[in-house]
């Protein structure tokens, strides 16, 4: 099925949000806030703070609140396979390529030494930014890699003649010590435009080098484009039918960019002038809210339950109200097939990466299992982030990995609850009051002649069983104390306070 893509930009002085729609559905969301701009792609002159010999890695100070993490032996850290065969993340805005590097001799590091590094992953949780000594600079059609003599072609360029044309053109103009990856956007572009990209990237690298010589460590020596410019550079392609923008100044910026590179596409840039907020008009606001919920309902009655933990992401497929029309095996098979497009869309929309485990409903027929895997691989082709999936296990599980490109949507939009500390659970009223009961029992005769005041929110207290309330009252009476219940309407609902007064 042909995929029609649209880009929708909601911009304010404090925040820029850009949604990628495919056939009207939100599939990816990019957010940049003035209070926190992504460091990915930025190049720093850093200083080695600490070497971890046992892990062949180092912490490098780059001037932020947390030191960056760097693999010292990066050749081993990267997957060593042919560049042309490696799935490239060459269309990922804001992500420096983690390519399969050719073996390049990098000098060993010493503590206190200055080193040039590039951020490849933003800080996540307690972890600082992930760094690399293999630098890459993305252009419109090419990615420039100083220090790596290799010409790579995005495997999304499938025409053999076009691949060879591009390879020979870039190879003929690459200088010693230069490497390039030809991006998907280069398909059909004129030679002079591609060579112009080479010149621009060399100038950019020369400028960065001059700053390295002039600045002390730690300091920023080159900053990648911000979100809107990255999306224009990386995502505004032939297949994007429309580019909607709400703010007038942002609209003029987009038009100026498009007029310079593809004037024939200017008509695709649309200025949204309705009183209705842009993200509401396209149904994006609702999708963002739903993407924070663990449960996702499918069109034919099934559902997904998605949970993110520190170690992995779990996706559970359920039949729900979907009962099918034939036998159980056929129903299960169709429910699994129905879930796959939504699973992949949710992974993209929620920006979930790392290890992912999908718990499909058990299928007995091997042909059905193969068809489900084939459909999953087909849907993953749409994902610009590199993802790999293993075969269905005997327990109906699919283990897969998806490249992380920063915090998930949920981690970006939310903070840890100070009451449940991120567990998503709280003590039941019974458990909370029984904690008080045990403390009163521990004090025993010390309570005699005192007043025990138990303070609870009325809503929380009403959920208690009569047996538990009476049990606490009986204990207080047994120790010669007076029990007083106090309705507390302020503060968290799900807490119990008590004090003992003589």
């Amino acid at each position: 099925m042909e995929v029609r893509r649209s880009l929708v930009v909601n911009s304010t002085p404090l925040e820029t949000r850009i949604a990628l729609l495919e056939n009207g559905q939100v599939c990816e969301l990019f957010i940049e806030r003035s209070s926190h701009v992504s460091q990915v792609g930025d190049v720093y002159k850093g200083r080695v703070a600490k070497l971890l010999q046992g892990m062949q890695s180092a912490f490098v100070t780059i001037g932020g609140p947390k030191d960056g993490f760097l693999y010292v032996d990066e050749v081993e850290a990267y997957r060593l396979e042919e560049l042309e065969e490696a799935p490239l993340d060459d269309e990922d805005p804001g992500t420096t390529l983690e390519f399969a590097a050719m073996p390049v001799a990098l000098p060993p590091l010493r503590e206190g030494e200055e080193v040039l590094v590039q951020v490849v992953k933003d800080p996540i949780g307690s972890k600082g930014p992930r760094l690399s000594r293999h630098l890459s600079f993305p252009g419109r059609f090419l990615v420039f890699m100083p220090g790596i003599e290799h010409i790579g072609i995005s495997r999304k360029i499938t025409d053999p003649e076009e691949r060879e044309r591009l390879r020979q053109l870039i190879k003929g103009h690459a200088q010693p010590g230069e490497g390039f990856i030809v991006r998907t956007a280069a398909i059909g572009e004129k030679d002079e435009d591609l060579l112009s990209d080479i010149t621009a990237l060399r100038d950019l690298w020369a400028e960065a080098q001059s700053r390295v010589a002039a600045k002390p460590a730690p300091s920023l020596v080159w900053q990648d484009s911000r979100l809107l410019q990255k999306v224009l550079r990386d995502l505004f392609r032939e297949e994007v039918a429309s580019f909607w923008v709400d703010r007038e100044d942002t609209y003029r910026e987009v038009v100026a960019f498009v007029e310079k590179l593809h004037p024939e596409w200017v008509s695709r840039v649309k200025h949204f002038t309705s009183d209705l907020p842009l993200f509401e008009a396209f149904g994006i606001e609702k999708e963002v809210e739903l993407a924070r919920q663990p449960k996702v309902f499918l069109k034919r009655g099934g559902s997904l339950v998605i949970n993110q933990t520190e170690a992995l992401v779990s996706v559970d497929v359920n039949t729900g109200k979907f009962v099918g029309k034939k036998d159980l095996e056929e129903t299960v098979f169709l429910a699994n097939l129905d879930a796959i497009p939504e699973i992949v869309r949710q992974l993209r929309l929620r920006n979930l990466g790392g290890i992912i485990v999908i718990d499909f409903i058990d299928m007995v027929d091997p042909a059905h299992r193969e068809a489900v895997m084939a459909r999953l691989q087909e849907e993953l082709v749409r994902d610009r982030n590199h993802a790999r999936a293993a075969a269905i296990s005997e327990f109906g599980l699919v283990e897969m990995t998806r490249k992380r490109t920063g915090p998930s949507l949920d981690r970006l939009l939310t903070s840890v609850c100070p009451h449940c500390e991120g567990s998503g659970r709280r003590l039941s009223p019974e458990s909370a009051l029984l904690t008080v009961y045990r403390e009163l029992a521990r004090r025993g005769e010390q309570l005699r002649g005192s007043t025990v005041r138990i303070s609870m929110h009325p809503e929380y207290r009403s959920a208690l069983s009569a047996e538990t309330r009476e049990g606490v009252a009986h204990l207080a009476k047994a120790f010669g104390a007076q029990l007083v219940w106090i309705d507390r309407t302020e503060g968290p609902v799900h807490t119990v306070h008590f004090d003992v007064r003589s």
Side-chain angles (χ1 to χ4, degrees):
M1 182 179 70
E2 182 181 355
V3 178
R4 285 181 60 84
R5 292 185 171 90
S6 299
L7 287 163
V8 181
V9 182
N10 167 230
S11 178
T12 73
L14 298 178
E15 179 184 57
T16 297
R17 299 185 298 171
I18 304 178
L20 172 65
L21 277 60
E22 293 181 353
N23 297 330
Q25 278 194 311
V26 188
C27 290
E28 295 183 41
L29 182 68
F30 312 102
I31 299 176
E32 182 178 79
R33 290 171 175 165
S34 58
S35 59
H36 178 75
V37 177
S38 172
Q39 294 175 277
V40 172
D42 295 349
V43 177
Y44 289 85
K45 183 178 182 180
R47 188 181 301 279
V48 178
K50 185 178 181 181
L51 287 173
L52 305 175
Q53 298 292 354
M55 295 178 63
Q56 289 293 294
S57 58
F59 286 107
V60 179
T61 300
I62 60 174
K66 296 177 182 177
D67 289 344
F69 183 80
L70 171 72
Y71 281 112
V72 175
D73 188 1
E74 286 188 283
V75 172
E76 293 300 321
Y78 289 114
R79 293 166 50 243
L80 293 178
E81 57 185 329
E82 284 299 320
L83 252 175
E84 292 87 345
E85 301 305 319
L88 298 176
D89 298 321
D90 74 320
E91 298 179 7
D92 186 9
T95 300
T96 300
L97 301 176
E98 288 198 39
F99 49 85
M102 299 297 289
V104 176
L106 290 173
L109 294 176
R110 300 183 306 276
E111 289 189 5
E113 180 183 357
E114 295 181 353
V115 60
L116 197 61
V117 292
Q118 187 169 40
V119 178
V120 295
K121 289 180 184 175
D122 275 321
I124 298 178
S126 60
K127 299 178 181 178
R130 166 78 183 279
L131 308 175
S132 172
R133 284 194 286 174
H134 290 294
L135 308 184
S136 60
F137 298 88
R140 176 68 176 165
F141 308 115
L142 306 168
V143 175
F144 177 51
M145 304 173 296
I148 298 179
E149 295 188 12
H150 192 81
I151 307 300
I153 311 292
S154 168
R155 78 171 191 173
K156 294 182 180 180
I157 303 176
T158 56
D159 180 67
E161 291 186 5
E162 181 67 356
R163 289 179 65 89
E164 187 61 22
R165 176 186 81 89
L166 294 168
R167 183 185 301 279
Q168 293 304 321
L169 174 68
I170 305 305
K171 185 177 180 180
H173 290 83
Q175 297 175 0
E178 291 184 340
F180 292 94
I181 294 176
V182 180
R183 310 183 73 176
T184 310
I187 297 175
E189 294 294 334
K190 298 176 183 178
D191 290 3
E192 54 265 34
D193 291 335
L194 297 173
L195 297 180
S196 176
D197 216 24
I198 291 178
T199 301
L201 289 168
R202 281 178 181 152
D203 291 344
L204 185 153
W205 173 229
E207 182 182 350
Q209 287 178 300
S210 67
R211 292 177 182 172
V212 171
K215 291 192 172 187
S219 59
L220 175 69
V221 296
W222 180 76
Q223 189 173 44
D224 199 1
S225 302
R226 300 282 59 93
L227 179 61
L228 181 61
Q229 291 75 32
K230 289 176 184 176
V231 168
L232 281 166
R233 181 189 70 200
D234 299 333
L235 288 182
F236 197 15
R237 303 286 176 80
E238 180 65 44
E239 65 271 17
V240 176
S242 57
F243 196 118
W244 288 92
V245 186
D246 52 6
R247 272 181 54 166
E248 187 173 350
D249 56 345
T250 307
Y251 169 75
R252 290 198 299 267
E253 182 181 349
V254 173
V255 168
F257 181 93
V258 177
E259 281 180 337
K260 186 183 299 183
L261 293 177
H262 285 286
E264 68 276 15
W265 292 359
V266 169
S267 61
R268 302 183 194 180
V269 182
K270 314 287 186 181
H271 187 198
F272 188 80
T273 57
S274 170
D275 292 336
L276 188 67
L278 179 57
F279 266 35
E280 285 187 26
F282 280 82
I284 300 169
E285 213 70 79
K286 182 180 179 181
E287 285 285 348
V288 173
E289 182 60 34
L290 290 175
R292 292 185 46 236
Q293 308 303 318
K295 195 159 190 174
V296 180
F297 294 97
L298 304 175
K299 291 181 179 179
R300 292 205 271 183
S303 66
L304 308 174
V305 178
I306 303 173
N307 287 302
Q308 180 183 5
T309 70
E310 288 297 318
L312 53 82
V313 174
S314 67
V315 181
D316 186 29
V317 182
N318 302 298
T319 54
K321 297 179 181 179
F322 179 59
V323 295
K325 296 181 179 179
K326 295 184 180 180
D327 55 26
L328 176 61
E329 174 69 15
E330 184 73 13
T331 299
V332 166
F333 171 56
L334 293 177
N336 285 334
L337 281 182
D338 188 42
I340 290 172
E342 189 61 23
I343 290 173
V344 175
R345 186 176 82 93
Q346 290 294 330
L347 294 179
R348 296 170 64 193
L349 176 58
R350 298 174 187 228
N351 197 25
L352 296 170
I355 299 172
I356 299 165
V357 177
I358 305 174
D359 185 7
F360 285 108
I361 310 166
D362 288 344
M363 295 172 288
V364 177
D365 191 338
H368 287 168
R369 295 160 75 97
E370 290 178 9
V372 164
M373 282 305 302
R375 181 67 185 277
L376 178 60
Q377 298 290 1
E378 179 185 321
E379 288 296 324
L380 287 175
V381 171
R382 295 189 185 184
D383 190 357
R384 295 177 302 104
N385 284 13
H386 174 37
R388 293 188 299 166
I392 298 180
S393 73
E394 60 178 310
F395 304 111
L397 303 177
V398 169
E399 297 176 17
M400 62 176 286
T401 60
R402 183 173 186 269
K403 182 183 174 184
R404 293 184 190 273
T405 59
S408 68
L409 183 64
D410 185 64
R411 298 292 191 266
L412 183 65
L413 298 180
T414 65
S415 59
V416 174
C417 170
H419 304 292
C420 71
E421 297 183 345
S423 70
R425 309 287 294 178
R426 68 182 189 186
L427 281 177
S428 67
E430 298 282 323
S431 298
L433 190 59
L434 285 171
T435 300
V436 174
Y437 181 93
R438 288 191 292 271
E439 176 60 22
L440 295 178
R442 187 185 69 79
R443 297 190 184 190
E445 290 297 328
Q446 299 174 17
L447 300 175
R448 189 166 300 279
S450 64
T451 300
V452 177
R453 306 195 317 163
I454 298 178
S455 171
M456 299 180 72
H457 193 284
E459 180 183 323
Y460 205 44
R461 181 180 169 186
S462 66
L464 290 169
S465 68
E467 183 179 358
T468 302
R469 289 200 303 268
E470 290 169 3
V472 174
H474 177 76
L475 180 68
K477 184 177 180 181
F479 286 128
Q482 181 183 3
L483 180 64
V484 177
W485 296 94
I486 298 174
D487 286 340
R488 177 179 45 79
T489 57
E490 296 180 354
V493 173
H494 54 279
T495 57
V496 176
H497 301 292
F498 83 97
D499 60 58
V500 178
R501 299 188 179 185
S502 300

